[in-house]
Amino acid sequence: MSELPQVVCMDQETRLQEDDHHSIKLWLRLLTCSSLIESRLRSALREEFDTTLPRFDFMAQLERVPEGLTMGDLSRRMMVSGGNVSGIAAQLVGEGLVDRSPVPDNRRTFMVKLTPKGRRSFRKMAQQHEQWIIKLLGHLELSEVEQLMVLLDRVKRGL
């Protein structure tokens, strides 16, 4: 398993004031943790696979739906603009990792799916990605993870 690169990430919590509301403190702690994890993953993907997190996410969406997705569906799933998705698709098509073809009944809509080469490539990345996540969060005990999951579920439902 490859090592995760050390990434310097400005800690969002440095903005805190002692008298800030506890909700602000929680928000900044969540943001800091998310940013630190994402920075480490971005660097690791770049160093190990010469790819980006958006490309990894794009391929992950296609891995989940082997018959493919329209560009619009991909855009909605990734919560990015159609232009971002089109740019990533063009790169991956050029590398032979993705096929893009018009939808038969609607020539303006394109369907995108992983090629066999793309599927193999993604699976290698996904296996390593899983190991990186385990390394980043594996120091937590199962009971701590369960507690966090319950609390974060309350946060999610409250939103």
Side-chain angles (χ1 to χ4, degrees):
M1 173 173 53
S2 66
E3 285 297 311
L4 283 162
Q6 293 297 319
V7 176
V8 176
C9 183
M10 192 63 180
D11 190 325
Q12 302 293 334
E13 292 180 86
T14 58
R15 300 188 233 172
L16 280 174
Q17 304 290 321
E18 191 168 324
D19 62 344
D20 281 339
H21 191 275
H22 64 272
S23 295
I24 300 297
K25 292 177 182 178
L26 173 60
W27 160 241
L28 290 175
R29 174 69 50 94
L30 288 169
L31 184 59
T32 296
C33 290
S34 179
S35 294
L36 289 168
I37 291 167
E38 187 175 312
S39 292
R40 299 282 296 275
L41 292 174
R42 283 181 188 277
S43 293
L45 283 166
R46 186 174 46 255
E47 289 181 19
E48 178 108 1
F49 297 104
D50 191 30
T51 197
T52 64
L53 189 54
R55 285 168 51 112
F56 177 84
D57 290 342
F58 184 104
M59 293 175 77
Q61 293 302 323
L62 294 178
E63 173 69 15
R64 291 181 184 107
V65 185
E67 64 274 12
L69 292 165
T70 66
M71 297 290 278
D73 288 338
L74 269 168
S75 179
R76 281 185 289 283
R77 284 171 175 246
M78 294 177 66
M79 296 183 284
V80 298
S81 73
N84 288 347
V85 169
S86 293
I88 294 169
Q91 292 172 359
L92 295 174
V93 166
E95 295 171 26
L97 301 173
V98 164
D99 279 330
R100 178 175 51 190
S101 57
V103 173
D105 296 339
N106 183 351
R107 292 268 184 221
R108 291 178 34 196
T109 302
F110 286 90
M111 182 69 72
V112 186
K113 66 181 183 177
L114 290 173
T115 62
K117 177 183 174 184
R119 195 166 303 287
R120 286 189 305 273
S121 175
F122 175 76
R123 286 185 178 153
K124 285 180 192 171
M125 287 188 282
Q127 287 172 346
Q128 187 60 63
H129 181 272
E130 181 178 312
Q131 293 306 306
W132 292 330
I133 296 294
I134 291 168
K135 185 169 180 121
L136 288 169
L137 300 174
H139 63 282
L140 296 171
E141 298 293 328
L142 180 58
S143 62
E144 293 171 316
V145 170
E146 289 169 349
Q147 274 184 298
L148 274 170
M149 293 297 285
V150 167
L151 292 171
L152 289 171
D153 183 58
R154 283 188 61 203
V155 169
K156 183 178 175 182
R157 282 186 285 121
L159 299 173

